[in-house]
């Protein structure tokens, strides 16, 4: 039997940022890579030998900030819907690593109304 989850850890492997089900983690990585390619941003996610990903927090912070800035730069509701899940998961994972992005709340178009639900769903033990 193969792995059941897809663990995201800091690059130095001292902290787990998120430990979703295998297919959820794989889908997140695919979406992040696609968005990163579209935005010209490295994700900071590196697949590891344990079947998860190591996360370079500074690169990942820049990626998450770039996603956020792209989200806030448009009022296109379909673009917002397409980006929302990836962006919220990225923000929570970054926060789980002690990081944060620079926010402009008046441009968020309700983005963080689901933040608490994502935070509860992505809870990890310190």
């Amino acid at each position: 039997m193969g792995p059941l989850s897809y663990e995201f850890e800091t690059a130095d492997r001292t902290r787990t940022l998120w430990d979703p089900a295998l297919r959820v983690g794989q889908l997140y990585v695919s979406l992040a890579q696609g968005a990163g390619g579209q935005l010209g941003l490295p994700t900071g996610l590196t697949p590891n030998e344990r079947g998860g990903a190591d996360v370079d927090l500074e690169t990942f912070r820049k990626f998450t900030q770039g996603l956020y800035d792209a989200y806030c730069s448009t009022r296109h509701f379909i673009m917002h819907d397409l980006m929302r899940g990836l962006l919220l998961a990225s923000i929570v994972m970054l926060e789980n690593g002690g990081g944060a992005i620079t926010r402009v709340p008046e441009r968020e178009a309700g983005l963080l109304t689901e933040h608490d639900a994502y935070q509860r769903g992505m809870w990890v033990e310190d």
Side-chain angles (χ1 to χ4, degrees), residues 88-89 91-92 95-96 103 110-123:
L88 283 167
I91 289 170
V92 171
E95 290 171 348
N96 287 346
R103 294 182 46 218
L111 169 68
L112 294 181
T113 57
E114 298 175 77
H115 177 270
D116 291 345
Y118 271 72
Q119 199 168 45
R120 285 188 302 276
M122 294 174 66
W123 177 84

Side-chain angles (χ1 to χ4, degrees), residues 34-41 63 66-68 70 83:
Q38 195 69 18
L39 298 172
L41 295 169
F63 166 73
L67 277 178
Y68 177 86
M83 294 181 75

Side-chain angles (χ1 to χ4, degrees), residues 71-123:
Y71 182 95
C72 291
S73 72
T74 183
R75 292 185 180 158
H76 196 287
F77 76 96
I78 294 173
M79 180 67 86
H80 282 179
D81 284 352
L82 289 170
M83 294 181 75
R84 181 173 278 114
L86 176 63
L87 181 51
L88 283 167
S90 299
I91 289 170
V92 171
M93 200 169 12
L94 182 62
E95 290 171 348
N96 287 346
I101 58 169
T102 302
R103 294 182 46 218
V104 184
E106 62 273 9
R107 306 231 20 229
E108 290 178 358
L111 169 68
L112 294 181
T113 57
E114 298 175 77
H115 177 270
D116 291 345
Y118 271 72
Q119 199 168 45
R120 285 188 302 276
M122 294 174 66
W123 177 84

Side-chain angles (χ1 to χ4, degrees), residues 10 26 43 47 60-61 75 85 104-105 123:
T10 54
Q26 290 170 333
T43 63
F60 186 70
R61 186 197 63 74
R75 292 185 180 158
V104 184
W123 177 84

